Amino acid sequence: GLLLSIRVRISDQSMTHVNRPDSSDSDVCRDQRLRCRHHRISDYWFMEGTVDYFGNVGPGAPRYWNGHLSIAYGYIDPSQVRISIGLETAINDDPHCGICSGAYGVRENQPDPVTVEPESGLIKYELMSRKATGSDYAAREQIGPDPLGTFLVQHLGDRTIRVEVVAGKAPNELSGFSDAALIYRR
């Protein structure tokens, strides 16, 4: 059958995860130290209630990405964790991160999204600006100096996460989710 390989970065090692189309959640990765991707938050997610890739809007309509969320290492600089949020947030990118456009850096790249699973509980990521200077994309992918807010996430199991973006608040100022939290699935 068709095999899909996903490269996963853990510390200084890379491992290949093989996910067969007929895999179940009970399958384990080749390396027994890491559960299958269904048990991690590092991946692409879609807001509950959206229908396929086009989210809450029909094909060709603007802002089809509203229902999209990605928690992953960057494709330009794979050493940098990126949280990319399609939904409009209260974060004002203009004064601190004009290049962000919903794709934020994470302070100290921690915690590593590859290791966050249902047993991890509530996780708080401090969203950071990205450097807006430099002649190449890699320079602009580096973490900037400005904290922008906090991204709360909790893996609920069953390919489901709860998330909330709180603009202008540091992680230590938040104790949990509010009624504004959203559910995402894959």
Side-chain angles (χ1 to χ4, degrees):
L2 173 67
L3 297 180
L4 302 173
S5 294
I6 299 171
R7 299 295 292 172
V8 178
R9 183 180 176 276
I10 297 182
S11 301
D12 294 333
Q13 296 178 312
S14 288
M15 301 180 322
T16 301
H17 165 75
V18 177
N19 184 26
R20 292 171 186 84
D22 59 347
S23 303
S24 71
D25 281 349
S26 63
D27 286 350
V28 293
C29 297
R30 282 185 184 172
D31 187 327
Q32 295 297 319
R33 294 174 293 161
L34 184 66
R35 290 185 184 200
C36 286
R37 69 186 205 120
H38 306 299
H39 298 283
R40 300 187 317 255
I41 65 167
S42 180
D43 208 344
Y44 302 102
W45 298 88
F46 297 94
M47 188 186 310
E48 186 173 63
T50 60
V51 179
D52 68 38
Y53 186 80
F54 292 102
N56 289 328
V57 299
R63 297 206 53 86
Y64 68 88
W65 56 86
N66 271 347
H68 298 198
L69 172 69
S70 172
I71 306 168
Y73 282 90
Y75 73 95
I76 294 171
D77 182 350
S79 72
Q80 300 290 315
V81 173
R82 285 290 168 268
I83 296 178
S84 296
I85 306 162
L87 185 68
E88 287 291 328
T89 68
I91 294 175
N92 182 355
D93 291 342
D94 291 338
H96 302 292
C97 194
I99 65 168
C100 285
S101 299
Y104 302 102
V106 171
R107 184 181 296 276
E108 299 177 10
N109 284 326
Q110 292 297 320
D112 185 343
V114 171
T115 65
V116 176
E117 55 189 11
E119 294 78 16
S120 301
L122 175 65
I123 301 296
K124 302 173 186 180
Y125 287 101
E126 188 164 16
L127 299 178
M128 300 295 293
S129 63
R130 295 179 9 229
K131 291 185 179 174
T133 59
S135 60
D136 64 6
Y137 288 115
R140 294 186 300 233
E141 282 295 298
Q142 302 308 304
I143 300 296
D146 300 309
L148 303 172
T150 298
F151 178 79
L152 302 172
V153 61
Q154 183 175 15
H155 196 310
L156 302 175
D158 194 29
R159 301 178 187 196
T160 305
I161 58 174
R162 175 180 293 125
V163 304
E164 184 174 358
V165 177
V166 183
K169 295 282 187 182
N172 63 353
E173 297 178 83
L174 301 168
S175 60
F177 294 103
S178 75
D179 292 339
L182 299 168
I183 300 295
Y184 283 76
R185 297 183 187 278
R186 62 170 145 203

